[in-house]
Amino acid sequence: MMKKIKYSLLLAFGLTLVSCSEPSSIDRWIDNPTANEIKVTIDGKELTIPAKSGVNYTFEYGKHTLSYNNDDFNFVVKPAQFGESGFINPTQSNYYLYTVIYSTSEISDEEYEKILKQNREINKIPAIIDGKEQEIEMPAKLINDILIERSDYHWNYSYDQAFPEEITQDLRLKKNQSYQESFRKLYRESDFIELIKEDEQEDISFPYQPKKFSEISQYVIPKVNLNNIKCEEGRKYMEGLLNDWNHLLTLKGSDFTKPYNNLASNDAMAKSYSSVDKCTKENDPEQSYRKELRQFVDALRSTRDVNFYVIK
């Protein structure tokens, strides 16, 4: 039996929201942790999202547009190799991934902090304490992405799930052998502040710094100059890949799934990598095709584990 060890200002972050995957679509939660109702427009359809709540929305696979506060961005919804949950954060509100350690035996505060540092769970978080801007160290990570994917942050508990007081696992430990394991929970900012105030008496808040949607990280298929590829067979193959990608973004639902897998599945990527055999030292001495192919396939691979990502 492992008990949760409480440590001042040590928090764990983990959000799990329901995500139902279907062959042609996926459900995704749109969260509004603010104190006011907001309106979000998706592909021209306006949604009203209540304060401190959210709505579940079904997205067909393919390209979509989200608008909020007179700003908008494009994103792709697709199958994921390891489909995990996530949510949309249109207000770019702050969430906090907080770590708690469970242990089979009592450990000191010093040991607790050492374990957290060894696992790189301690981070500097910008905060405003008693009106003064500063950074505080704690086992928490600030997250304010617009598209928040569990596969990127690996939380154990959602913001609507409590940390259990203790957990039971079959550890098969020897007598008197101790064991520790860390778990993460996701918090909305208001709940995170309440958690901190259980131990601290200062007035604490956190800066809110949303970006323009045009400034957020965007996924981009690298620009390939076909004329730079000296090997003709490689050039034709790459031209086909680029045409398939551009056509993919015009498709929706079940029409999207097969062409996407033809581009981005493990088998498809293996086939693309093997296409370098078309270009030899004789017809492509500078390996121009290999260089262009690698950046294209690596770009596809970088998003294989997520269902949602922003595009330019």
Side-chain angles (χ1 to χ4, degrees), residues 81-92:
Q81 182 168 350
F82 304 106
E84 292 198 63
S85 59
F87 64 103
I88 298 176
N89 174 29
T91 59
Q92 298 181 70

Side-chain angles (χ1 to χ4, degrees), residues 40-297:
V40 171
T41 301
I42 299 174
D43 301 330
K45 180 180 179 180
E46 186 176 82
L47 303 176
T48 299
I49 304 180
K52 296 187 180 298
S53 185
V55 298
N56 211 37
Y57 191 86
T58 300
F59 291 89
E60 286 189 300
Y61 290 154
K63 181 181 176 182
H64 298 271
T65 299
L66 185 148
S67 303
Y68 168 70
N69 198 26
N70 296 318
D71 203 356
D72 61 70
F73 67 93
N74 297 319
F75 60 103
V76 167
V77 181
K78 67 172 189 61
Q81 182 168 350
F82 304 106
E84 292 198 63
S85 59
F87 64 103
I88 298 176
N89 174 29
T91 59
Q92 298 181 70
S93 296
N94 295 331
Y95 295 79
Y96 297 86
L97 187 63
Y98 174 72
T99 301
V100 160
I101 293 176
Y102 289 77
S103 177
T104 55
S105 61
E106 293 295 327
I107 59 177
S108 68
D109 290 351
E110 291 76 15
E111 290 175 305
Y112 192 108
E113 190 165 357
K114 182 179 179 181
I115 293 170
L116 289 167
K117 286 183 176 179
Q118 286 174 341
N119 290 281
R120 299 182 180 178
E121 301 287 355
I122 298 285
N123 294 291
K124 291 183 177 180
I125 305 292
I128 302 171
I129 300 177
D130 291 336
K132 182 180 179 181
E133 292 188 14
Q134 55 188 284
E135 289 185 332
I136 54 177
E137 287 191 345
M138 61 173 65
K141 182 178 180 65
L142 168 64
I143 300 173
N144 51 22
D145 305 337
I146 292 178
L147 303 178
I148 298 178
E149 295 280 309
R150 185 178 179 184
S151 57
D152 288 332
Y153 295 107
H154 309 292
W155 55 72
N156 302 101
Y157 299 98
S158 141
Y159 61 67
D160 59 355
Q161 295 174 305
F163 273 124
E165 287 303 312
E166 56 187 27
I167 61 173
T168 302
Q169 290 187 338
D170 181 11
L171 300 173
R172 304 183 191 279
L173 298 177
K174 297 179 181 179
K175 187 177 181 180
N176 298 325
Q177 183 180 358
S178 63
Y179 178 82
Q180 297 89 31
E181 187 171 356
S182 61
F183 289 85
R184 297 172 174 178
K185 172 177 163 53
L186 190 67
Y187 285 86
R188 287 173 170 169
E189 183 172 276
S190 57
D191 296 327
F192 187 64
I193 290 174
E194 289 302 312
L195 179 67
I196 293 174
K197 285 183 176 179
E198 292 179 7
D199 297 304
E200 301 298 320
Q201 300 303 312
E202 295 106 332
D203 179 27
I204 185 169
S205 61
F206 296 95
Y208 174 56
Q209 299 173 322
K211 299 178 181 178
K212 292 182 179 179
F213 287 163
S214 60
E215 296 173 348
I216 62 179
S217 297
Q218 300 170 336
Y219 171 82
V220 180
I221 285 287
K223 290 184 179 179
V224 175
N225 187 337
L226 295 173
N227 293 326
N228 288 340
I229 301 176
K230 306 306 179 185
C231 164
E232 183 177 356
E233 287 191 57
R235 185 165 58 250
K236 289 181 178 179
Y237 191 89
M238 176 57 71
E239 185 176 15
L241 290 178
L242 292 173
N243 288 338
D244 288 346
W245 169 256
N246 290 326
H247 178 61
L248 180 68
L249 295 184
T250 68
L251 304 177
K252 284 285 181 70
S254 58
D255 292 335
F256 179 95
T257 307
K258 185 176 179 179
Y260 173 78
N261 289 331
N262 287 341
L263 267 176
S265 69
N266 284 338
D267 288 344
M269 290 185 180
K271 180 181 178 181
S272 292
Y273 278 128
S274 67
S275 70
V276 298
D277 295 338
K278 300 175 184 293
C279 300
T280 65
K281 290 184 179 179
E282 287 71 30
N283 63 14
D284 192 13
E286 296 179 359
Q287 297 187 324
S288 60
Y289 173 62
R290 183 186 296 269
K291 294 174 184 176
E292 300 292 349
L293 177 69
R294 181 183 296 116
Q295 64 174 345
F296 182 90
V297 177

